[in-house]
Amino acid sequence: MDPFDEGARGVLRQPGAVWATAGASVVAFMGIGLVDPILPSIARGLDATTGQVSLLFTSYFLITAFAMLLTGWVSSRIGGRRTLLLGLALVVVFAGLSGTSDSVAELVGFRAGWGLGNALFVSTALAVVVGAAAGGSAAAILLYESALGLGMACGPLLGALLGDASWRYPFFGTAALMAIGFLCITVFLKEQPKPARRTSLLDPLTALGHGGLASVAASAFFYNYTFFTVLAFTPFVLDMSPYRSGAVFFAWGLLLAVFSVLVAPRLQERFGSPKVLGGSLVLLAADVLVLGYGDHTTAVVCTVLSGAFIGVNNTVYTELALGVSDAPRPVASAGYNFVRWFAAAAAPYFAPKIEEWTDVHVPFVVAAATALAGAAVVAVRRRALVAEAGEAAPRHRAEDSVTAFAN
């Protein structure tokens, strides 16, 4: 029986603790793309340059990268419930403070604190949902995946709706929603059992000593540079109103969710992970190259279309990362994400700089080149990845996908 069919029947029959955690997860994932439609508005409101405002992503993901070494260490010592509440509390505080910023430097700093809170929350939420769910893990995974996709799609939409009045309102709105999530988890979620073994800060780094995992992480590093060039730099190129930009990235998020959850697994079953990943990276490279050199309408279409390739890549990278080594999945995921989030921090910083040094087209040429570099790593290491991963565990694909995105 298909686990998703089984999960679909049980997904609505969940205790309050699961719904509270899943609802907060939607808002947490919304925070990733929330600022996309309002980046130009923030730049105008704070009299900042494109490069300065793009640091909102850089600070957020730089802290997220280092937090990957911290989240397992924290949750294995204080428990899942307290880790969730700590993460939510940090998001509430720093999202609210972001809305009060009087300079881009303040906003960048508050966004970094927000990244720490979000990392603590989302890295723990899946384990909590699975542990508290009724009807087995399939229903919990389906619910969590739905929360992930809904959050990624609705983040830009919320940013557009609230940001049309003021760029400050999306930050206040997020703080309010996460405060409600904090209260719900406080009321409905009981403390979860602590892991039998405490996680060391160095465990994720030690896991990267495995050649297969290091190869996947290296390829994902190049890919994530492309991913976040699209996410953080394209809004300035499109230069649209918050409503229009929000609609574009809402469509982008829907494609990302659909291709990640529904399309990628079918492609993997038919062609195998390395072929799917390599082909998708090449298509993504072509897409961002056309995005950079096309007219405005072409740029909009290519931005939305990139969501399909990004969705496929996210799922395939995740399965490879969690199946290629013998490290525990949370540890392997933390090491893998520690590497790839550095590219997410680098792209928003370097893309505007490259534009300043050259012209608006070249950042997309660089993004296309990094996608091809990621494909090249997969091609060179293809046999090792297949042999070491054994095209591992299709039955775990859904669980792996949300685990790595959460981490």
Side-chain angles (χ1 to χ4, degrees):
M1 180 179 293
D2 189 331
F4 281 101
D5 291 339
E6 178 186 352
R9 290 193 293 270
V11 68
L12 298 178
R13 300 190 297 271
Q14 298 298 331
V18 172
W19 285 113
T21 307
S25 297
V26 172
V27 183
F29 287 117
M30 286 170 61
I32 295 176
L34 177 80
V35 299
D36 254 33
I38 58 173
L39 286 174
S41 300
I42 293 173
R44 289 190 294 269
L46 296 178
D47 194 24
T49 66
T50 299
Q52 289 173 325
V53 174
S54 294
L55 290 175
L56 295 177
F57 283 98
T58 297
S59 62
Y60 183 91
F61 288 116
L62 189 62
I63 295 299
T64 298
F66 283 108
M68 290 302 103
L69 305 179
L70 182 66
T71 53
W73 185 89
V74 172
S75 63
S76 66
R77 284 161 174 77
I78 68 174
R81 180 176 182 272
R82 291 179 181 177
T83 303
L84 288 180
L85 292 175
L86 175 60
L88 286 170
L90 288 172
V91 172
V92 170
V93 170
F94 285 105
L97 289 173
S98 295
T100 68
S101 301
D102 293 322
S103 69
V104 71
E106 285 185 6
L107 184 53
V108 168
F110 293 144
R111 183 79 169 152
W114 183 347
L116 174 60
N118 210 55
L120 288 169
F121 175 81
V122 300
S123 65
T124 311
L126 175 61
V128 170
V129 168
V130 171
S137 62
I141 291 167
L142 182 59
L143 181 62
Y144 192 86
E145 279 199 335
S146 301
L148 187 158
L150 185 62
M152 289 295 292
C154 291
L157 194 61
L158 177 67
L161 293 174
L162 296 179
D164 189 58
S166 170
W167 65 263
R168 299 180 186 273
Y169 290 170
F171 297 111
F172 294 140
T174 300
L177 289 172
M178 290 303 256
I180 294 173
F182 183 96
L183 293 175
C184 289
I185 288 177
T186 300
V187 172
F188 293 109
L189 181 64
K190 297 180 180 179
E191 185 56 79
Q192 304 296 297
K194 296 180 182 179
R197 175 183 175 273
R198 290 185 174 185
T199 300
S200 164
L201 291 174
L202 296 180
D203 282 352
L205 296 178
T206 303
L208 288 171
H210 185 279
L213 182 60
S215 298
V216 175
S219 178
F221 176 88
F222 290 116
Y223 155 65
N224 269 262
Y225 186 96
T226 308
F227 178 177
F228 286 94
T229 297
V230 173
L231 189 63
F233 183 67
T234 302
F236 293 103
V237 176
L238 298 180
D239 194 23
M240 304 167 77
S241 68
Y243 275 125
R244 291 178 181 271
S245 183
V248 169
F249 280 96
F250 176 69
W252 169 87
L254 284 179
L255 273 186
L256 187 154
V258 169
F259 274 74
S260 177
V261 176
L262 300 178
V263 178
R266 288 170 171 79
L267 291 176
Q268 287 176 275
E269 289 174 2
R270 182 169 182 179
F271 300 107
S273 295
K275 287 184 179 179
V276 172
L277 184 57
S280 182
L281 286 168
V282 171
L283 291 174
L284 178 61
D287 180 79
V288 297
L289 198 60
V290 175
L291 192 164
Y293 281 93
D295 59 20
H296 190 268
T297 300
T298 302
V300 169
V301 172
C302 287
T303 298
V304 174
L305 183 60
S306 70
F309 306 125
I310 289 169
V312 170
N313 292 338
N314 285 347
T315 295
V316 181
Y317 270 120
T318 297
E319 179 178 317
L320 287 174
L322 298 183
V324 77
S325 75
D326 56 0
R329 285 179 175 177
V331 174
S333 180
Y336 158 74
N337 282 285
F338 172 72
V339 173
R340 73 172 182 134
W341 285 127
F342 277 109
Y349 175 79
F350 283 110
K353 291 292 185 183
I354 293 170
E355 181 194 14
E356 292 176 11
W357 299 332
T358 55
D359 59 48
V360 72
H361 307 297
V362 177
F364 295 101
V365 175
V366 175
T370 55
L372 293 176
V377 173
V378 173
V380 170
R381 293 287 294 168
R382 179 182 181 278
R383 289 187 179 180
L385 292 175
V386 171
E388 293 168 12
E391 293 284 36
R395 65 186 179 276
H396 295 311
R397 181 180 287 113
E399 181 180 358
D400 290 350
S401 176
V402 292
T403 300
F405 217 116
N407 283 330

